[in-house]
Amino acid sequence: MQTPLAVPVPVLRLPRGPDGLSRGFAPDGRRAHLKPGAPESQECPVGQGSQESQEQRVRAALRERYLRSLLAMVGRQVSFALHEGVHVTAHFGATDLDVANFYVSQLQTPIGVQAEALLRCSDIVSYTFKL
Amino acid sequence: MAMRQTPLTCSGHTRPVVDLAFSGITPYGYFLISACKDGKPMLRQGDTGDWIGTFLGHKGAVWGATLNKDATRAATAAADFTAKVWDAVSGDELMTLAHKHIVKTVDFTQDSNYLLTGGQDKLLRIYDLNKPEAEPKEISGHTSGIKKALWCSEDKQILSADDKTVRLWDHATMTEMKSLNFNMSVSSMEYIPEGEILVITYGRSIAFHSAVSLDPIKSFEAPATINSASLHPEKEFLVAGGEDFKLYKYDYNSGEELESYKGHFGPIHCVRFSPDGELYASGSEDGTLRLWQTVVGKTYGLWKCVLPEEDSGELAKPKINFPETAEEELEEIASENSDSIYSSTPEVKA
């Protein structure tokens, strides 16, 4: 006796697994306010708390401005001042996640033009470009 | 329309899952902890199986894991001769309790003030968690390694199982009150406070005893060697799993086998009902945990019941590999390429 072909119960998604990067226990998780060092501690008056969050807001705003400046640079001619007084110019392409390297093209160096190159940010002292 | 059980697979462990436990129901839902031979016990959200965090610190296989009632504390028992107590909210290690041999089992009292441990040194130990430096109280008597130890009767008594016996001890006097002997190795034990029922598995048998008198109530025989069984909170069903990789569901009152489910790729080592009875979790030699619905087709957690009228063509199509943000895609790529601590698997392996 064959039962009619049953339909598997639909699921919204599969359970999330480990992120592979950290041990988890997300600071923004559901139970975050239960963590030690949260509102329980008496040494953390409300005034200080709001000053810290004010600072954090400012930091976040500055970071956002910086990231937007990188976006604005894409495709433009940028002058880089490197160590030892070396200056190069290039068309800015992209940066990596940690802003450790800049991907550039048409890099004009004292010894010639490089079609594609990676500039190490640790080698860069400053850079300027016109908007 | 007949609906087929869709188990939810929780991946992340890299070696067999040997123990699992649920917390009680908290204002944030309920939680699940899994013990694994890879030494990295994991905490998950109980109703979805979503990973919350991994307790890092043990230097050997973790044989036992438990949560306290409100899921603020976790305890683990490991082959590195220690039991550890953890903050289950932050994941931080709070205490390391040194033992003289492999520790197999840990259990909190209802008020989380005491921890019971047992292991290969054949001693039961009771730690006062408010005085972690103090020496634990020890109860001797077992003649083989202790596999499971549980508080019972409102923490006034202790139940412990070794290879061939189950013993009942009085907490206050630390003396043995009763014992049961078995011809076959006892594979698991579960204590149900409401009704004072003890579930014991050995060989192919699933046996129910009074936790107060140890008198037998009833027992069932399964088609294969059973490693673990769990009784539903309302005592309507029980589930059991073992060496044939299948999960069996029985009617507790009649003993009738209601369902059997295939899915795991290795023997099942542990199975437990959630505190609300809506699902049960199984841990296997294959390194996965699976969540199973008690009532197949009911909308709960990640399972979504779609009625025929609502069918929009998406019926019976699990949404696989649906990263919500670009970040998740990057993480997937990163985890495949980089040398990560865990061998995390992408959301789905087709």
Side-chain angles (χ1 to χ4, degrees):
Chain A
M1 182 182 73
Q2 288 273 44
T3 49
L5 197 60
V7 173
V9 178
V11 291
L12 297 170
R13 57 170 175 80
L14 295 181
R16 294 191 190 108
D19 62 10
L21 302 169
S22 73
R23 66 171 188 161
F25 299 100
D28 58 347
R30 278 196 223 178
R31 305 198 291 170
H33 73 273
L34 293 178
K35 288 193 188 169
E40 280 163 6
S41 76
Q42 300 303 324
E43 299 99 32
C44 190
V46 179
Q48 191 181 333
S50 70
Q51 189 190 331
E52 277 171 14
S53 61
Q54 162 80 339
E55 198 179 295
Q56 185 54 32
R57 272 196 290 271
V58 171
R59 287 215 182 119
L62 286 171
R63 178 72 179 168
E64 191 181 336
R65 271 171 67 171
Y66 178 65
L67 292 172
R68 289 194 190 283
S69 77
L70 287 174
L71 281 173
M73 262 193 344
V74 174
R76 291 186 198 275
Q77 181 95 341
V78 181
S79 307
F80 296 93
L82 308 178
H83 289 290
E84 309 282 333
V86 176
H87 285 82
V88 294
T89 59
H91 285 111
F92 180 78
T95 174
D96 61 4
L97 187 62
D98 304 313
V99 196
N101 295 286
F102 284 163
Y103 162 64
V104 297
S105 54
Q106 302 308 312
L107 176 69
Q108 292 177 18
T109 78
I111 53 164
V113 178
Q114 194 69 25
E116 317 278 356
L118 266 182
L119 277 180
R120 269 195 311 218
C121 290
S122 53
D123 292 341
I124 301 171
V125 172
S126 68
Y127 59 88
T128 66
F129 68 104
K130 288 207 174 79
L131 274 171
Chain B
M1 169 172 34
M3 300 229 82
R4 193 153 52 89
Q5 170 89 261
T6 303
L8 294 170
T9 302
C10 307
S11 54
H13 284 303
T14 53
R15 299 227 35 233
V17 176
V18 290
D19 194 23
L20 66 90
F22 282 99
S23 69
I25 298 174
T26 80
Y28 307 92
Y30 56 89
F31 299 84
L32 168 61
I33 188 171
S34 50
C36 181
K37 285 189 182 178
D38 64 10
K40 303 190 184 96
M42 291 186 178
L43 184 72
R44 295 177 188 270
Q45 195 66 43
D47 61 338
T48 58
D50 287 338
W51 175 79
I52 295 173
T54 303
F55 298 102
L56 296 176
H58 275 300
K59 296 189 181 66
V62 176
W63 286 101
T66 191
L67 292 167
N68 67 350
K69 200 156 64 158
D70 58 10
T72 52
R73 293 279 179 272
T76 50
D80 61 6
F81 293 16
T82 70
K84 286 183 192 275
V85 179
W86 312 79
D87 179 321
V89 178
S90 65
D92 294 335
E93 185 183 315
L94 295 173
M95 282 173 234
T96 296
L97 307 167
H99 289 62
K100 304 228 164 39
H101 209 312
I102 296 170
V103 194
K104 284 292 198 82
T105 175
V106 274
D107 196 30
F108 286 102
T109 49
Q110 292 291 303
D111 56 15
S112 306
N113 285 328
Y114 295 91
L115 185 73
L116 174 67
T117 70
Q120 297 289 79
D121 64 1
K122 307 174 197 161
L123 293 171
L124 289 163
R125 286 197 174 83
I126 299 166
Y127 289 86
D128 181 339
L129 296 179
N130 299 309
K131 299 188 206 123
E133 303 303 319
E135 286 298 307
K137 294 199 284 192
E138 287 179 7
I139 302 176
S140 56
H142 276 284
T143 53
S144 62
I146 295 165
K147 293 178 171 187
K148 195 83 182 172
L150 299 166
W151 294 103
C152 61
S153 303
E154 292 165 351
D155 305 331
K156 297 208 259 304
Q157 294 182 326
I158 291 164
L159 279 161
S160 58
D162 64 16
D163 198 38
K164 295 275 173 47
T165 71
V166 168
R167 298 172 200 234
L168 183 64
W169 311 81
D170 177 68
H171 179 192
T173 60
M174 312 239 295
T175 53
E176 184 179 317
M177 297 184 359
K178 287 196 169 70
S179 72
L180 287 170
N181 291 299
F182 298 90
N183 300 326
M184 280 173 285
S185 190
V186 174
S187 46
S188 81
M189 198 165 69
E190 184 191 42
Y191 167 65
I192 314 286
E194 305 83 17
E196 297 287 341
I197 298 175
L198 187 59
V199 185
I200 305 173
T201 58
Y202 54 95
R204 293 194 285 115
S205 303
I206 306 158
F208 301 88
H209 290 250
S210 157
V212 172
S213 63
L214 294 191
D215 290 339
I217 300 171
K218 59 170 87 178
S219 78
F220 309 131
E221 290 288 295
T225 302
I226 294 296
N227 293 329
S228 179
S230 183
L231 182 61
H232 187 270
E234 266 135 61
K235 303 175 190 55
E236 292 167 31
F237 317 102
L238 67 118
V239 287
E243 293 294 306
D244 67 355
F245 312 1
K246 286 192 202 170
L247 264 175
Y248 294 94
K249 185 179 177 190
Y250 291 87
D251 179 299
Y252 177 63
N253 294 307
S254 66
E256 182 195 342
E257 185 190 308
L258 299 170
E259 288 282 0
S260 67
Y261 297 114
K262 291 200 268 193
H264 276 294
F265 297 101
I268 292 165
H269 291 304
C270 44
V271 60
R272 281 291 179 270
F273 268 106
S274 61
D276 64 1
E278 295 283 354
L279 59 81
Y280 44 101
S282 57
S284 166
E285 184 78 8
D286 66 11
T288 67
L289 280 110
R290 276 165 211 250
L291 303 181
W292 310 79
Q293 284 193 289
T294 301
V295 177
V296 178
K298 188 172 173 182
T299 293
Y300 181 85
L302 297 176
W303 291 286
K304 174 119 174 79
C305 176
V306 179
L307 299 171
E309 307 87 67
E310 292 169 33
D311 183 0
S312 57
E314 290 169 40
L315 185 67
K317 198 171 150 205
K319 288 210 174 348
I320 51 173
N321 207 17
F322 191 74
E324 284 150 78
T325 66
E327 277 179 55
E328 284 181 30
E329 286 175 293
L330 286 173
E331 276 171 28
E332 280 185 43
I333 297 163
S335 67
E336 277 165 342
N337 292 338
S338 64
D339 199 21
S340 50
I341 311 166
Y342 323 99
S343 79
S344 74
T345 55
E347 296 261 40
V348 173
K349 273 200 155 61

